Amino acid sequence: MSLTIGIDVGGTKVAAGVVNSRGRIIEKLKRPTPSASPERTARVIAEAVIDLLGRHQAEAVGIGAAGYVDAVGSDILFAPNLAWRNEPLKEQVEDHVGLPVLVENDANAAAWAETMLGAARGHEHVMLVAVGTGIGAGIVINGRLYRGRWGIAGEPGHYRVVPDGRLCGCGNRGCWEQYASGSALVAEAREFARRSPGPAVRLLQLGGGSAEGINGPEVTQAAHEGDAAALRCFEIVGTWLGQGLAALAAILDPGCFVIGGGVSEAGDLLIRPAQAAFSGALTGGTYRPHAEIKLAQLGAEAGVIGAADLARRALAGGKLASGKLAARVQSTAPLSGPEPRDGPSPSRRTSTTKPVTKAAMAASAAQPGTVQPTSVATSR
Ligand SMILES: [Zn+2]
């Protein structure tokens, strides 16, 4: 059975796994991410691959990375939590490992894995929403990953839900992830503890006596114990989540939403209020089918499995050339879908896509499982 290697690069760790054609991980390992240095991060990825190649014969490498990846699966345009800025990651890793490499956004890789092998099996129209420190997402339409024109589709965390609302790390106000993420859950709990220390006694106890000591795991624990204040926090965040999903359904009409990310480990605490709010907010709700809202099944392994499977498919489809030739081949052959009508896909050298970089800089989207540079709060 042929093997590929999947890599999931987050702000704190690099996870690598050898994956077979059924999506099963044969062996996996983890290394810390030297997030301040793109070169060292590429080297850590390459070393993990070489380590695994010592015991397994793999044919290609797929990398899911917490950042904006270009349309041809080659470069990282921008990463909010890592030092990547227009970084030729495919080339850097291929130079070390001698295998063809595909680079993909980590939430896209997870969305693909959940569609093929996880919670959304059997669906062709899927949106994965990863609720972590921020909100990440991946979109599958007609059974194919949807990347958008520039490769950065599926960043709804910065969709504005409240005009002039809470300030977001991206510089805008009122972004969805300020209301429906792990950071929002923690913010609600801390604010409540400061305002009403009496009813928040259990939260404060778990937080070591201060509102600032309350983090995601404490809120989840208190909610599982039945603490009313913690349950209220999940109710608020879950409601924002469900309302946002209804807005996304108005655009995409998916058959299934998969909720992943660290906060989804709270299970029904998050899903139930989200489902209720979704049903209430969906336009024409009584007269139309409703998308399923399901918990992710593959957990932290979704990124590794999805990246490996995408690399396998790209290789089988002749769309994953190795080495420097690849950039030229891929610049005229997108990984999936027909040639865009508005011109050929950008290659790394012919276009640094200024509008994209500008937009990317403006929207420092937090990806699931990583810590925003300006915030230490994480619910993962
Ligand atoms: Zn934002």
Side-chain angles (χ1 to χ4, degrees):
M1 193 178 285
S2 75
L3 302 173
T4 50
I5 291 174
I7 309 272
D8 190 1
V9 191
T12 55
K13 66 171 179 2
V14 173
V18 179
V19 181
N20 70 17
S21 55
R22 291 202 190 107
R24 188 160 300 155
I25 297 179
I26 310 274
E27 186 188 341
K28 59 182 171 182
L29 50 84
K30 278 179 192 173
R31 304 271 161 85
T33 307
S35 53
S37 164
E39 291 76 23
R40 279 175 50 223
T41 301
R43 214 176 310 137
V44 165
I45 294 168
E47 282 164 9
V49 171
I50 289 163
D51 189 337
L52 292 169
L53 286 175
R55 293 178 296 286
H56 307 275
Q57 260 198 319
E59 294 172 359
V61 178
I63 301 174
Y68 292 1
V69 177
D70 69 8
V72 294
S74 180
D75 300 355
I76 310 266
L77 302 170
F78 168 75
N81 305 301
L82 293 152
W84 282 321
R85 301 290 183 268
N86 286 311
E87 209 61 35
L89 186 62
K90 171 183 167 75
E91 194 177 302
Q92 286 170 345
V93 176
E94 281 181 347
D95 284 350
H96 285 98
V97 305
L99 286 180
V101 171
L102 172 74
V103 184
E104 183 53 84
N105 170 267
D106 59 350
N108 284 4
W112 183 251
E114 291 288 351
T115 302
M116 298 309 295
L117 302 151
R121 244 173 317 169
H123 283 280
E124 289 203 326
H125 305 278
V126 177
M127 185 154 192
L128 172 124
V129 176
V131 185
T133 305
I135 289 179
I139 302 166
V140 174
I141 294 177
N142 289 325
R144 304 176 94 168
L145 199 56
Y146 178 73
R147 294 186 176 82
R149 171 64 180 90
W150 308 105
I152 51 181
E155 297 289 345
H158 299 279
Y159 182 84
R160 187 191 297 179
V161 295
V162 180
D164 297 322
R166 293 178 191 159
L167 183 64
C168 181
C170 74
N172 288 333
R173 283 188 176 275
C175 296
W176 189 33
E177 72 174 33
Q178 293 305 312
Y179 298 85
S181 66
S183 306
L185 182 74
V186 170
E188 290 288 350
R190 289 180 180 177
E191 198 186 314
F192 183 77
R194 275 191 290 265
R195 211 174 49 225
S196 316
V201 62
R202 181 58 182 147
L203 281 170
L204 283 164
Q205 207 175 26
L206 290 167
S210 77
E212 280 60 44
I214 302 169
N215 284 304
E218 281 82 49
V219 187
T220 305
Q221 187 187 330
H224 277 309
E225 291 171 3
D227 179 71
L231 286 169
R232 180 84 189 118
C233 294
F234 271 104
E235 185 79 29
I236 292 167
V237 170
T239 299
W240 275 112
L241 180 63
Q243 285 172 351
L245 296 181
L248 291 168
I251 300 165
L252 288 170
D253 189 26
C256 183
F257 286 105
V258 179
I259 310 301
V263 183
S264 73
E265 285 163 23
D268 280 347
L269 292 173
L270 180 71
I271 296 294
R272 237 185 258 136
Q275 284 167 332
F278 177 78
S279 293
L282 198 63
T283 308
T286 321
Y287 307 99
R288 55 171 286 180
H290 288 204
E292 288 187 84
I293 300 175
K294 301 176 81 175
L295 278 174
Q297 278 179 4
L298 302 173
E301 291 180 340
V304 166
I305 294 169
D309 193 65
L310 286 165
R312 175 192 312 282
R313 285 164 191 270
L315 188 69
K319 289 168 180 167
L320 191 58
S322 173
K324 273 138 202 168
L325 176 70
R328 233 174 303 145
V329 171
Q330 290 189 339
S331 73
T332 54
L335 289 166
S336 65
E339 186 71 20
R341 277 180 208 168
D342 49 344
S345 297
S347 77
R348 189 169 66 81
R349 281 179 235 304
T350 56
S351 167
T352 52
T353 57
K354 265 184 191 150
V356 171
T357 307
K358 196 177 158 196
M361 293 298 281
S364 60
Q367 293 290 324
T370 55
V371 179
Q372 290 188 50
T374 51
S375 163
V376 289
T378 176
S379 58
R380 206 165 171 100

